[in-house]
Amino acid sequence: MWRKRGSIENDYIISSSSSSSSSSSVSASGDSEEEDMGFLEVTVSDMKHPPPELGPMPDGLSPQQVVRRHILGSIVQSERSYVDSLKRILQDYRHPLMEMEPKALSARKCQVVFFRLKEILHCHSMFQIALFSRVAEWDATEKIGDLFVASFSKSMVLDVYSDYVNNFTNAMSVIKKACLTKPVFLEFLKKRQMASPDRVTLYGLMVKPIQRFPQFILLLQDMLKNTPKGHPDRLSLQLALTELETLAEKLNEQKRVADQMAEIQQLIRSVSDRSSLNKLLNSGQHQLLLCETLTETVYGDRGQLIKSKERKVFLLNDMLVCANINFKGQLEISSLVPLGPKYVVKWNTALPQVQVVEVGQENSAYDKDSVVIQNAGAKKHVSASQSSNKVYLGPPRLFQELQDLQKDLAVVEQITLLISTLHGTYQNLNMTVAQDWCLALQRMMRVKEEEIHSANKCRLRLLLPGKTDKSGRPISFMVVFITPNPLSKISWVNRLHLAKIGLREENQPGWLCPDEDKKSKAPFWCPILACRIPAFSSNALDLQLGAVVHNPVQSSLLGFSAVSTSLPQGYLWVGGGQEGAGGQVEIFSLNRSVPRTVKSFPVASQVLCMEYIPEKSKEEQEQGEAEDLRTAADRPSAPHPTICLGLQDGSILVYGSVDTGTQCLLTCRSPGRQPVLCLKHSPEYLFAGLQNGTVAAYARNDGGLWDLEAQPTYLEVGTGPVRTLLTLDDTVWASCANQVTVLDAASLQAQQTFEAHPDEDASVTHMIKAGSGVWMAFSSGSSIRLFHTETLEHLQEINIATRTTFVLPGQKNVRVTSLLICQGLLWVGTDQGIIVLLPVPRLEGIPKITGKGMVSLNGHCGPVEFLAVAVSTLAPDVLKSDKEEEGGPEEKPDGPSPEPSAPDKPPAREMRKKGILLQYRLHSTSHLPGQLLSVKEAPPAPSGTALEHSEEDGSIYEMADDPDVWVRSRPCARDAHRKEISSVAIVSGGRGYRHFNPSSKQPACSEADSTLLIWQVPLML
């Protein structure tokens, strides 16, 4: 192995948290070959250490063993290929460039370009030696996980890879500049690429270290899937997956920060040194949240497109910058190294003054009496009289056309009323025809609304502040960007919304990162405190919080911006009450940026726990139907989602969701009226943890609900209260005192009991699963402990008090009162009202805590009673109405119908009729051929009949300009592969609100009533 050189250790062990430190350290180094090394060079001979080779497969292996052997072969092969690529960089590029005379690249620049590559090669050469011996004995031991842990858990590996990743952008910049200024160097790169057998460029080789650990992770995930429980390699593989994921996450974050710094530096270089923007960008207080190339479009008064041009738009934490993109340089080098554009700043504006304006929302976005709207890019100023009523910046007058349809509908409805007063009977003037007119107009309005939604999908319309006019009124201008896809639009609206919230005082800063430098600057992805609200609408009673659950419900009425800015869709149920008195349930709607109460009702006793039970998935329903031999008529339908409440007086209440009227469907009392401390469900049972140390298991009845009237199955787990339950695969974990009993979820038999804490007085109060581990909190002490889900082995212990001291110095008596895991973060609530965030791996490895995490500066005045997550998975289809998703053909326009085999094929343009045709003839329409353009379903046409429309009365022909929306039930081909969007919010509940920042102007503790704090994180696209 290697040893560090003490004489140059301080010069070359570079901080991994900053790309600038890495670059400066490399640049400051001398040209000496010897000084390039942070470690002594070790030559690994292929003769002494041949690469690992997997021998012939022995007989009698199980299918899983065969698969594991193939995966091992992939690991060996990919590692050999990776090491060969590293050697190629050094042998084919670095060494010739160092020896070339005259030099195409100076020794100092060579050092910058190939920084840390030798050390990376040394790491993997040593790994190959160890891999050789492990492969040789594979058929006897079948172990590989511990080798990955031993090889890649060392800080030395993180150091060299961090330095390489931090320096990568700088290295590419040197290569690009040399290509543009030194033809000899460019010719050298071309020749080397042409001479290589696979024609991989130098960039293609140098990006491989950045991709290496994600490749390892995929291979180890495959190996773990094919390693059965109880196998000696399983725990080692899980630990290895954790180590590699942690390493990859750190490198990804450093690469993101380095890329962010490079983008900001590129932007700074495009700004004049004397400008105020240059000073702002150089202050170091700005974080780049999002940057993307968008297409700016300019429209005329009639909605026609005047011009469009690509812009680079930068969203910083407090400003929005738009720049022209200027690619300069030889295009021939773009195949060898990525070309970075030069920017020319077009405009920048403070974030609070930026407004997103959707098509159809112009009137509500600004005060039209005091703001003049000017088209960005238009040469002519629009007067106040012209701009106050109509703003045609986007699709041609869609909203105006919708308003016209609404007015026409009102007129037709009046005509219908007049027709109803006729005394005579007329063949072509009757209520049937009039109602058909109304229904057809309503349908046209729905299509127009969809056109507006479609226009909003990829159009980002921003209202920006300008200078005042001569009369002193402010002039705002509208900028319209076309985003690459709908997800990009959603992301921009979401980030703009959260960035504005992040500028509020309570989020400046909102988190404290207890690093060595005690910086309070939190990373860009940290949750943002969106709002704080009273937990109960009634202030007359002093109600204590007990539990909370999120009932996800998708709303088809939300548009793109509402989806992007609202909290996760659905309802938040909050329960509590007074000890020894009545209870209260408050239900909040989350379909907006701030929750609102939609229902509040009392219950007989204090609410102690809640459990949300979703309706069965389609797979579960199909499986149940396959097993059920009864007829379809006798089979009970699957119930809607339900919410179960456990009360202090021993009652269990089952409620329907808000959408079904919040009815109390079931109620029962626990035996002996024991308080219900916790509730959990499995597919077959509802488990209730009781005060007397038993778990009551209620089975489902024929209707799919819980059979609360039948006698439950009682499971004795101890003498103390069962404080928490956890459903885990086919088992249920139940805590009693300091012990946890593992129960079989099907047979309801106890499998084993283990001790979770050495102190008998430290009862297990919370259990939360992540990956292959369970974190536990206790009634005393400030520690949380991690246990393996399979071996029940104790793996880690973390003292939370060491984190909270950064906010409350000297306060060591801290107790954990709530736990939550969400998106790679372990949320820990304490009795001091402080919330701590600790990073944990997201994959199926061991959820060990490796970082110091963050401490929230927003918390409660008393204990954090609960932490809950509200998650809803959204898709752009949520914008469509329910009727739009119904199957079956819709009405066709003039011309032949599309072939059934190609439903997505748009009609020929010449067959589409523009505009609206209202025809009236004094003869009946019932005998005419073709499908009527009405809301009613037309009978299928006989085969061979031409679907040609003739003149008819009472029929409205209409066509949308966009062939993708003219038939509502036909999905757009370009939207066939849509990604899901996850919206996430975290809810904490406790007494009052407290801001822990000593420099804050806010009162230290306010609002003594029960309060909910709601954090949002950026949409996960």
Side-chain angles (χ1 to χ4, degrees), residues 646-668:
L647 307 186
Q648 176 77 39
D649 66 359
S651 300
I652 297 177
L653 310 179
V654 180
Y655 284 87
S657 63
V658 175
D659 290 352
T660 57
T662 326
Q663 296 176 342
C664 186
L665 307 176
L666 296 171
T667 180
C668 81

Side-chain angles (χ1 to χ4, degrees), residues 249-267:
E249 282 287 335
K250 289 179 179 177
L251 295 177
N252 284 342
E253 176 63 13
Q254 289 169 14
K255 179 72 166 63
R256 188 199 63 77
V257 170
D259 290 346
Q260 179 193 91
M261 293 298 298
E263 284 284 6
I264 291 181
Q265 289 302 317
Q266 186 77 359
L267 185 61

Side-chain angles (χ1 to χ4, degrees), residues 11-12 14 19-31 36 107-116 163 166-167 170:
D11 294 334
Y12 288 93
I14 299 169
S19 61
S20 58
S21 63
S22 170
S23 306
S24 61
S25 298
V26 178
S27 303
S29 306
D31 293 347
D36 184 31
R108 184 181 63 81
K109 288 183 178 177
C110 278
Q111 191 176 327
V112 173
V113 170
F114 304 105
F115 186 60
R116 289 298 193 212
D163 291 347
N166 290 345
N167 183 64
N170 197 31

Side-chain angles (χ1 to χ4, degrees), residues 102 140 260 270 515 737:
Q260 179 193 91
S270 68
D515 293 329

Side-chain angles (χ1 to χ4, degrees), residues 208-220:
K208 289 192 175 186
I210 296 175
Q211 301 166 339
R212 187 57 189 145
F213 290 108
Q215 293 168 350
F216 269 151
I217 288 171
L218 291 174
L219 288 166
L220 286 186

Side-chain angles (χ1 to χ4, degrees), residues 233-253:
D233 197 29
R234 189 167 171 85
L235 179 57
S236 299
L237 282 172
Q238 290 168 337
L239 288 168
L241 198 57
T242 296
E243 293 292 346
L244 290 175
E245 184 189 352
T246 303
L247 187 58
E249 282 287 335
K250 289 179 179 177
L251 295 177
N252 284 342
E253 176 63 13

Side-chain angles (χ1 to χ4, degrees), residues 561-624:
S561 284
V563 166
S564 307
T565 59
S566 70
L567 295 164
Q569 294 183 49
Y571 299 97
L572 193 70
W573 291 56
V574 179
Q578 291 179 305
E579 193 167 352
Q584 185 80 10
V585 174
E586 199 90 8
I587 303 177
F588 296 89
S589 170
L590 300 182
N591 293 343
R592 53 186 63 202
S593 55
V594 178
R596 62 187 176 91
T597 302
V598 293
K599 190 162 187 177
S600 178
F601 59 89
V603 289
S605 180
Q606 184 180 5
V607 179
L608 300 182
C609 57
M610 288 184 178
E611 175 77 341
Y612 169 70
I613 302 172
E615 58 186 336
K616 287 187 176 181
S617 63
K618 290 182 179 178
E619 293 79 7
E620 290 175 333
Q621 291 182 32
E622 289 171 1
Q623 183 180 359

Side-chain angles (χ1 to χ4, degrees), residues 242 245-247 249-250 253 511-515 523 525 527 770 775 784 786 796 798 800 803 820-828 836-843 846-855:
T242 296
E245 184 189 352
T246 303
L247 187 58
E249 282 287 335
K250 289 179 179 177
E253 176 63 13
W511 298 88
L512 183 69
C513 298
D515 293 329
W525 45 259
W775 279 101
I784 56 175
L786 173 65
Q796 192 179 19
I798 296 292
I800 298 300
R803 273 73 174 177
L820 174 71
I821 283 185
C822 178
Q823 294 188 338
L825 291 173
L826 173 62
W827 292 65
V828 183
V836 178
L837 253 63
L838 299 167
V840 293
R842 301 175 187 229
L843 301 179
I846 304 298
K848 292 175 64 178
I849 294 171
T850 54
K852 295 191 176 181
M854 302 184 294
V855 181

